[in-house]
Amino acid sequence: MTAVAIDGPAGAGKSTVARAVAHRLGYSYLDTGALYRAVALAAIERGVDPTDEAALESVAVDLDVILSDGRVMLNGRDVTDRLRDPDVTRIVSTVAAHPRVRAALLERQRTLARSGDVVMEGRDIGSTVLPDADVKVFLTASETERARRRAEQAGLPTDEASIERLRDEIAARDRADATRDVSPLIHAPDATLVDTSELTVDEVVDRIVDAVRAVERAAS
Ligand code: C5P
């Protein structure tokens, strides 16, 4: 069984790259951000305060979520698009910073990873969730480039003022993710750093696929 861990800040292109790598290799694709977003959405719907750790822990423990083929089902409802809405994005880093929420989702992520060959994407996959992953990549890109990509992806305006606003939002989320006490966003020393600012998606995907094939060859 081969595990590929792809971590990095918001908007670095992790989802696009991870999905394409999984597709090329015939592995499953797991977006762990979707789990944290699902907890945030369930909290919004139940009126739970994003600073109430105990209440959020039970939301995370009871979470009826299924990740399948890039879609996310929460309580049997397809919430894939809803998870990207601004109200969820605004609180998700606060929700994800609670140690008890992270603990509740940790085993769930490891169980998902044990189901076969996987490409798992998030913030702490190489450092905490799958420290023994066969290939670890830390994807990044300049803040402006990440803001530009987010705007294009979400069909938002791409004028300078809008990009600047988006860049501030992304920077604030990265700061929250990188400075929390438990499992912060870090570039694990054994993860290969790939700055995607000047690379096409295909170039990034090729590099990762080559690294995985090298590992597979060495193991066979
Ligand atoms: O990847 P995405 O932007 O959907 O992640 C949403 C949020 O979920 C991140 O900003 C972070 O706060 C949290 N997250 C995390 N650990 C992960 C994946 C996501 O803390 N492994």
Side-chain angles (χ1 to χ4, degrees):
M1 240 156 46
T2 307
V4 181
I6 301 185
D7 291 302
K14 296 187 301 295
S15 301
T16 309
V17 166
R19 206 176 283 126
V21 168
H23 183 74
R24 285 261 299 272
L25 293 166
Y27 287 14
S28 20
Y29 161 65
L30 292 169
D31 168 14
T32 61
L35 293 176
Y36 290 94
R37 286 177 181 270
V39 174
L41 177 59
I44 290 169
E45 290 180 343
R46 290 198 213 167
V48 171
D49 187 319
T51 62
D52 184 344
E53 180 167 13
L56 288 168
E57 179 187 28
S58 44
V59 171
V61 168
D62 296 341
L63 198 69
D64 174 7
V65 69
I66 296 172
L67 307 182
S68 152
D69 288 336
R71 307 303 297 176
V72 188
M73 308 297 290
L74 179 63
N75 300 317
R77 183 166 50 107
D78 189 332
V79 294
T80 316
D81 298 330
R82 175 73 183 91
L83 293 182
R84 305 278 141 200
D85 284 346
D87 59 337
V88 175
T89 302
R90 209 173 305 121
I91 65 161
V92 66
S93 290
T94 305
V95 168
H98 296 300
R100 284 155 67 183
V101 170
R102 302 199 72 80
L105 295 184
L106 183 59
E107 208 37 55
R108 199 185 277 251
Q109 293 171 79
R110 288 186 175 151
T111 306
L112 286 169
R114 276 194 290 269
S115 61
D117 296 323
V118 288
V119 179
M120 200 171 225
E121 170 223 323
R123 300 291 187 291
D124 62 340
I125 309 306
S127 58
T128 304
V129 179
L130 304 176
D132 297 327
D134 303 275
V135 172
K136 297 185 188 181
V137 178
F138 192 85
L139 281 193
T140 189
S142 71
E143 271 179 9
T144 305
E145 180 58 21
R146 292 192 277 126
R148 213 184 47 72
R149 288 178 190 169
R150 263 291 142 91
E152 278 181 1
Q153 214 172 32
L156 297 170
T158 52
D159 60 282
E160 212 170 304
S162 309
I163 295 292
E164 206 165 306
R165 217 173 14 253
L166 211 53
R167 199 183 60 198
D168 289 347
E169 276 171 32
I170 284 177
R173 190 142 65 93
D174 289 347
R175 219 167 17 250
D177 289 341
T179 56
R180 67 178 173 230
D181 292 336
V182 177
S183 292
L185 165 71
I186 47 157
H187 169 207
D190 55 349
T192 306
L193 180 70
V194 180
D195 186 330
T196 68
S197 307
E198 309 284 331
L199 298 173
T200 65
V201 171
D202 282 345
E203 286 170 329
V204 179
V205 172
D206 282 346
R207 278 195 201 186
I208 300 174
V209 168
D210 287 349
V212 176
R213 295 225 162 105
V215 165
E216 285 180 335
R217 264 197 309 278
S220 66

